[in-house]
């Protein structure tokens, strides 16, 4: 739905409770060109007291040669913690005003987002674009970035959902950014990346021409004028699609925790109706508390955790379901049975109720400035801004309302058969030899 999936995320600041105030009656979005290259999307809402500011770039997380996993994470974090002309880093400035800074690295996209009080929005726009459009990465900043990435890497090894996403993408995609995890699996891979490599990547990936600036919440067009860095000719990179494996195979992998992952190759973002149908399927079956599969597990008092979503990518999208807890194979069977049942059209009354629930969930998931900024940035970078969920006059709601039982069943039959399966098996730590 919101097209998000597990990523290397660095939360670099302090959250305040007023950031999550629901938005209402947003002014229609505006788009344009930044003063020194790149583009912006402005989606103001004066009813809230916060502003969400984001920069989104198309860039391969494993480097432009796909040989340096982790370099995008190091570059994005180092740029945030390196001192600016004022002496403060972007991270320090956001922290000073009581905000929160998030860095999200996906295989093909890098997103940097800040949630701050509305009065600080221009300062943060200026600082964020200075940090990234004119990156000054030094050894100290890279050292901090390495330490942060190392902690994230350890954390993610114990998150079956994240691990399974990476393993499933490795099986589905033979080459390209999606074949590699956004964070490497060993610290040595991070320490082997030099400051020079990080700086070179940052200057290429974070140039203004390769950026989309998103501004939502209590903001106005004057914030765009706060951009003072950037320059040069050129345009945004083309989307970084990955090559599919000819015949993806299932596999078993060793990990820190147990789990099961299933994935299916889906439609590209250009096929908006089919992509929306798979969003609907994920919501209907797997949404926490209300999904059909989720309710079955709750009634059985199962400790299984099932997360399912269609990941909307430029080409192709991927449906992913991950299963944790006990009795994973039994839960996997339940998931496959539920999907098989959807190959037959739902009755009209059940479908109508499910579609209205889906539309309600889309609305509730796109209320806050941060949620809207994330969607605007993600869908811009994937090549379909007008399709971003939750925006006024966008095509997402139109696609959702155009769904019918027969079409959804057809999409399920077309895409959701013969999944790639990854069985994640926890390895037992070896005992130290007795002395």
């Amino acid at each position: 739905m919101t097209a998000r999936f597990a990523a290397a995320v660095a939360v670099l600041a302090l959250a305040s409770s007023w950031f999550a105030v629901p938005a209402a009656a947003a002014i229609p979005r505006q788009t344009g060109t930044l003063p020194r290259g790149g583009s912006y999307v402005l989606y103001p809402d004066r009813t809230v007291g916060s502003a969400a500011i984001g920069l989104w770039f198309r860039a391969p997380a494993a480097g432009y040669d796909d040989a340096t996993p982790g370099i995008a994470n190091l570059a994005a974090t180092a740029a945030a913690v390196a001192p600016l002309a004022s002496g403060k880093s972007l991270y320090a400035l956001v922290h000073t005003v009581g905000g929160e800074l998030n860095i999200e690295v996906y295989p093909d996209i890098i997103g940097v987002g800040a949630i701050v009080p509305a009065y600080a929005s221009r300062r943060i726009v200026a600082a964020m674009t200075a940090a990234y459009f004119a990156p000054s990465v030094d050894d100290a900043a890279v050292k901090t970035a390495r330490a942060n990435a190392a902690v994230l890497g350890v954390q993610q090894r114990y998150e079956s959902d994240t691990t399974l996403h990476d393993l499933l993408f490795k099986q589905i995609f033979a080459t390209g950014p999606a074949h590699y995890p956004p964070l490497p699996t060993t610290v040595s891979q991070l320490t082997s990346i030099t400051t020079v490599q990080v700086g070179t990547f940052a200057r290429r990936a974070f140039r203004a021409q390769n950026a989309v600036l998103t501004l939502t919440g209590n903001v106005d067009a004057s914030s765009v004028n706060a951009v003072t860095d950037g320059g040069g000719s050129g345009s945004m990179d083309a989307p970084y699609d990955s090559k599919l494996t000819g015949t993806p195979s299932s596999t078993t992998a060793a990990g820190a925790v147990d789990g099961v992952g299933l994935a299916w190759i889906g439609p590209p973002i250009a096929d908006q109706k089919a992509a929306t149908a798979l969003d609907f399927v994920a919501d209907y079956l797997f949404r926490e508390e209300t999904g059909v599969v989720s309710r079955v597990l709750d009634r059985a008092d199962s400790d299984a955790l099932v997360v399912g979503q269609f990941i909307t990518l430029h080409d192709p999208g991927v449906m992913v379901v991950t299963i944790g807890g006990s009795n994973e194979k039994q839960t996997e069977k339940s998931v496959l049975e539920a999907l098989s049942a959807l190959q037959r059209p739902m009755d009209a009354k059940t479908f109508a109720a499910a579609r209205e629930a889906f539309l309600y969930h889309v609305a509730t998931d796109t209320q806050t400035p941060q949620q809207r900024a994330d969607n605007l940035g993600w869908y811009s970078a994937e090549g379909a801004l007008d399709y971003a969920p939750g925006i006024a006059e966008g095509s997402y709601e139109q696609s959702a309302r155009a769904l019918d039982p027969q079409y959804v069943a057809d999409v399920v039959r077309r895409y959701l058969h013969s999944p790639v399966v990854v069985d994640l098996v926890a390895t037992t730590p070896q005992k130290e030899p007795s002395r």
Side-chain angles (χ1 to χ4, degrees), residues 392-416:
E393 302 175 2
S395 59
Y396 192 92
E397 183 176 347
Q398 296 172 12
S399 297
R401 292 196 179 281
L403 298 178
D404 61 69
Q406 185 63 57
Y407 181 80
V408 171
D410 290 344
V411 168
V412 171
R413 284 195 301 271
R414 179 178 178 184
Y415 291 107
L416 303 185

Side-chain angles (χ1 to χ4, degrees), residues 267-273 313-314 384:
I269 198 170
D271 191 348
Q272 295 182 4
K273 188 175 180 182
L313 299 170
H314 179 258

Side-chain angles (χ1 to χ4, degrees), residues 268-333:
I269 198 170
D271 191 348
Q272 295 182 4
K273 188 175 180 182
T276 309
L278 291 182
D279 277 348
F280 168 82
V281 168
D283 183 84
Y284 177 67
L285 293 182
F286 306 117
R287 188 175 181 91
E288 186 177 2
E289 295 184 356
T290 63
V292 170
V293 173
S294 301
R295 293 202 308 271
V296 168
L297 294 174
D298 288 344
R299 287 196 297 268
D301 200 24
S302 170
D303 69 348
L305 175 63
V306 179
V307 180
Q309 70 173 145
F310 177 64
I311 302 167
T312 310
L313 299 170
H314 179 258
D315 189 17
V318 182
M319 175 72 91
V320 172
V321 176
T322 59
I323 303 167
S326 58
N327 299 317
E328 295 101 334
K329 300 310 287 185
Q330 180 60 43
T331 305
E332 176 188 344
K333 181 181 177 182

